[in-house]
Amino acid sequence: SHIKEEAACDLYIKKDAPQPPPPPPAFNWPPVWPLPAMVTNGTTTLTVDPALTFSIKSPSATLTAAFKRYSKLLFPHASAGQLGAGALSHLEVSVDSVDESHPTLETDESYTLDVPASAGGATLSAKTIYGALRGLETFSQLTRFDFASGTYQMDGAPWHGEDAPRFPWRGLMMDTSRHFQ
């Protein structure tokens, strides 16, 4: 018998700049997961300063570490675009309790996030540091890099969101071929 060999071919394209992701589907709005319990937004595209500062009135080691972590996550690309005077420049976080102990079933993880439609700062209010962490994640998902202009932007400003977990526990069950883990 005659065996035919197929030639394998790998194609690599070298790019000198990050490529934009494909456009999101129309049903993916707002681009946040999990979807907050209550969200309102406008139609303005707001520029976000990559030198965005985070501030909190009461010191918290957990939130200070989160601010450093989210600065790197939010702004991975060098921003070459012009910011102008209308850029979002800071996020003010207010927390009622800066208790650093591990969360329990009674821990309140609710938060309220407000982002204006113009320059200035956004506000994040939470009862605990764990609510503030959830709000930081929502804020990070609203911020995107615009490859055409080289700037960070937030579509649909002004934003107002309120959220809290639907259940007092967080869990995940995986079914790997009827082998529950």
Side-chain angles (χ1 to χ4, degrees), residues 8 24 36 44-45 52 56 69 71-73 85 91 106 110 114 124 127 135 140 146-147 153 162 167 174-175 179 181:
T44 304
T45 297
L52 178 95
I56 186 167
R69 189 172 59 251
S71 289
K72 292 177 185 176
L73 291 171
L91 176 62
E106 291 79 31
S110 64
D114 288 299
L124 172 61
K127 302 235 187 236
S140 75
D146 181 52
F147 288 86
Q153 297 181 349
E162 297 176 14
F167 304 104
M174 298 180 349
D175 177 2
H179 181 190
Q181 301 195 10

Side-chain angles (χ1 to χ4, degrees), residues 56 58-65 67 98-100 129:
I56 186 167
S58 303
S60 164
T62 301
L63 288 178
T64 300
F67 294 159
V98 291
D99 182 9
E100 298 277 339
I129 61 172

Side-chain angles (χ1 to χ4, degrees), residues 30 32-40 110-111 138 160-166:
V32 176
W33 189 87
L35 185 64
M38 198 282 295
V39 175
T40 60
S110 64
Y111 68 89
T138 298
H160 173 78
E162 297 176 14
D163 196 23
R166 286 179 40 198

Side-chain angles (χ1 to χ4, degrees), residues 38-121:
M38 198 282 295
V39 175
T40 60
N41 66 287
T43 58
T44 304
T45 297
L46 182 62
T47 303
V48 181
D49 189 345
L52 178 95
T53 57
F54 298 93
S55 60
I56 186 167
K57 294 176 183 165
S58 303
S60 164
T62 301
L63 288 178
T64 300
F67 294 159
K68 290 178 185 175
R69 189 172 59 251
Y70 274 98
S71 289
K72 292 177 185 176
L73 291 171
L74 277 165
F75 308 112
H77 306 294
S79 182
Q82 296 295 324
L83 295 180
L88 184 66
S89 60
H90 66 278
L91 176 62
E92 174 69 36
V93 179
S94 63
V95 179
D96 293 345
S97 170
V98 291
D99 182 9
E100 298 277 339
S101 60
H102 290 287
T104 65
L105 288 175
E106 291 79 31
T107 301
D108 186 345
E109 296 182 35
S110 64
Y111 68 89
T112 302
L113 176 65
D114 288 299
V115 178
S118 58

